[in-house]
Amino acid sequence: MKVGVLALQGAFARHLKVLDGLGASGVEVRTPGELASVDALVMPGGESTTISMLLDSSGLRRPISERLSSGLPVLGTCAGMILLAARVTDGRSDQRSFGAIDLDVQRNGYGRQVDSFEAQLAVAGLDEPFHGVFIRAPVVERIGEDVEVLAWVDGSPVLCRQGTVVVAAFHPEMSNDDRIHGCFLDWAFAV
Amino acid sequence: MTESNRATGTQLVKRGLAEMLKGGVIMDVVDPEQAKIAEDAGASAVMALERVPADIRRDGGVARMSDPEMIEGIKEAVTIPVMAKARIGHFAEAQILQALGVDYVDESEVLTPADEAHHIDKWAFTVPFVCGATNLGEALRRISEGACMIRSKGEAGTGNIVEAVRHLRSIIGDIGKITQAESAELFDWAKRLQAPLPLVQEVADTGELPVPMFCAGGIATPADASLVMQLGAQAVFVGSGIFKSDDPAPRARAIVEATTNFADPSALAKVSRGLGEAMPGIELGSLETRLADRGW
């Protein structure tokens, strides 16, 4: 099974490292051709405005949207969560998201970089806490009925799942801990 | 809302923002209008400063931290991270920038140094710092002082890529040599580089700097961005190169595209077309002040 990592901008190399450690075959995705060959996709952290612009210029926006509609499993972290949300508040007026998961997010909802933080998270399904790294992270403002919340910070959802769409407000690729990527692969490729 | 068990200002969150900026372009801007143009063009962050390096060179005099009002204006104008520069060793300017809520402080040789022996103790801050380096020893000294991102210095305000290439090749070349060295040789490496031994040992183990390494100083075209990315830079800073060119918006966008597609020459050929005149460059031999020599 081939897992693509959207490599337009941001922390994509870290995700590839984690995927390699799990024995998944990870590939960088910058073109529609590269997208066509993958069985699952990771949308990394980075600047969502930059990635959004590059989604248009690379010609990836439409094929990603089509693959998502037909059930492509996807893991979105931070900027990736923003791009997969149904609605984005406090973004740019021209920013568009894929609406792959039924939740709304506020960009940089936790504040600026001086407010970025680390926190221990209790994650549903994991025995031990997961160390979450939040960088200018988005805040989830609304969740739909079909969205399962797997972890919370101070009353806000920070890890959510709807079928094979998984989104995190934090950066599991930054914690030297592959359990969240492992769960994603299990859900993505469950028989 | 209780803020249970949150730890702010850690090395991980400071280096983390640098990770998020990889593969992107950080653009120098002097007012909110330029900041909007930069964001529209796909900049992953902006650097707020009063004059771009080319103008600092032209005007001379002492170059200082920007007016807080101007920095606030730029923060209001864009949603992407905003960086700002403090003078080398000027920890009071850095304290003010932290209080303003900027996302990264650049302790920069482009401004006039405030201390000829000491850089800022960057461990004392919640806001992360980026510092310039011309060689591996300088990079590791800055990291030992708490820098969370290194940028090769190049020669700012010249539109000439030659110094950036020299510095990148020096840093990456020495990293390569250190990974080949026997452990007994690392003591001598630390002595020659004037860098802390534990950091030299870490570089030997991992084959890379402990923090992300970006490139600055002289990038003026999409091809320049591709060159430094192919040499091993993980993102680029563009200073005078955008707003001193004929037509900043398309050039900014082309440099963003080139940084993403740095290894794809046909994509580079496409984005390099019809951009108008690049900023007029300066031959290094004609320089009176070498900014890269500032920093200790």
Side-chain angles (χ1 to χ4, degrees), chain B residues 52-210:
Chain B
V52 295
D55 289 340
I56 291 175
R57 254 181 212 294
R58 190 197 58 205
D59 300 348
V62 173
R64 309 180 178 88
M65 177 188 82
S66 298
D67 183 338
E69 195 173 298
M70 176 274 237
I71 295 171
E72 293 281 6
I74 288 172
K75 276 175 56 198
E76 288 295 310
V78 294
T79 64
I80 55 180
V82 175
M83 302 185 176
K85 289 182 193 288
R87 283 178 266 178
I88 289 174
H90 207 314
F91 52 85
E93 284 188 346
Q95 288 163 351
I96 293 168
L97 293 175
Q98 174 167 287
L100 287 171
V102 304
D103 296 296
Y104 241 93
V105 174
D106 184 1
E107 187 183 15
S108 177
E109 71 281 0
V110 168
L111 305 185
T112 310
D115 191 320
E116 294 189 325
H118 309 97
H119 282 251
I120 297 169
D121 172 10
K122 294 166 272 287
W123 298 104
F125 287 80
T126 304
V127 68
F129 281 74
V130 52
C131 289
T134 58
N135 57 54
L136 181 57
E138 200 177 359
L140 295 179
R141 286 196 294 282
R142 297 297 84 80
I143 293 166
S144 75
E145 296 155 0
C148 292
M149 179 201 299
I150 292 295
R151 53 174 174 76
S152 57
K153 281 182 183 171
E155 191 56 36
T158 62
N160 189 334
I161 199 67
V162 67
E163 290 299 295
V165 169
R166 187 198 315 281
H167 300 154
L168 268 180
R169 283 203 185 275
S170 169
I171 294 168
I172 290 166
D174 276 352
I175 290 174
K177 287 179 206 156
I178 284 178
T179 59
Q180 302 295 314
E182 290 175 34
S183 58
E185 294 172 331
L186 297 179
F187 302 96
D188 184 50
W189 268 105
K191 189 174 70 183
R192 278 189 284 145
L193 291 173
Q194 299 179 57
L197 179 64
L199 287 179
V200 173
Q201 288 168 326
E202 187 178 340
V203 169
D205 286 344
T206 61
E208 56 185 15
L209 281 185

Side-chain angles (χ1 to χ4, degrees), chain A residues 7-12 14 17 30 45-47 49-50 53-54 56-58 90-92 94 107-108 110 112-120 131 133-136 153-156 171 173-175, chain B residues 1-10 12-17 19-24 36 39-44 75 79-82 98 101-103 126-128 208 253 256-257 260-262:
Chain A
L8 297 173
Q9 190 270 324
F12 52 87
R14 288 255 179 176
K17 222 169 172 177
R30 289 190 181 81
E47 271 311 310
T49 51
T50 303
M53 184 204 97
L54 290 165
D56 289 324
S57 61
S58 63
D90 282 17
R92 289 162 50 93
D94 58 350
R107 271 189 74 204
N108 306 331
Y110 287 99
R112 302 193 72 92
Q113 172 62 13
V114 289
D115 306 305
S116 292
F117 62 97
E118 299 176 36
Q120 289 289 103
H131 194 73
V133 181
F134 295 77
I135 313 277
R136 288 172 47 101
V153 165
D154 299 325
S156 290
H171 292 281
E173 78 282 8
M174 294 286 295
S175 300
Chain B
M1 185 165 74
T2 58
E3 300 201 345
S4 54
N5 72 20
R6 290 193 196 178
T8 56
T10 63
L12 195 52
V13 299
K14 289 174 168 180
R15 291 179 186 184
L17 181 55
E19 291 287 335
M20 299 313 135
L21 296 170
K22 280 183 178 176
K36 286 299 291 176
E39 185 179 55
D40 289 345
S44 53
K75 276 175 56 198
T79 64
I80 55 180
V82 175
Q98 174 167 287
V102 304
D103 296 296
T126 304
V127 68
E208 56 185 15
R253 197 173 169 133
V256 170
E257 295 282 351
T260 292
N261 300 300
F262 69 91

Side-chain angles (χ1 to χ4, degrees), chain A residues 15-26:
Chain A
H15 281 285
L16 286 165
K17 222 169 172 177
V18 181
L19 292 169
D20 282 351
L22 286 165
S25 139

Side-chain angles (χ1 to χ4, degrees), chain A residues 26-50:
Chain A
V27 290
E28 294 180 2
V29 172
R30 289 190 181 81
T31 63
E34 288 162 346
L35 176 73
S37 71
V38 305
D39 307 297
L41 185 67
V42 175
M43 292 192 176
E47 271 311 310
S48 58
T49 51
T50 303

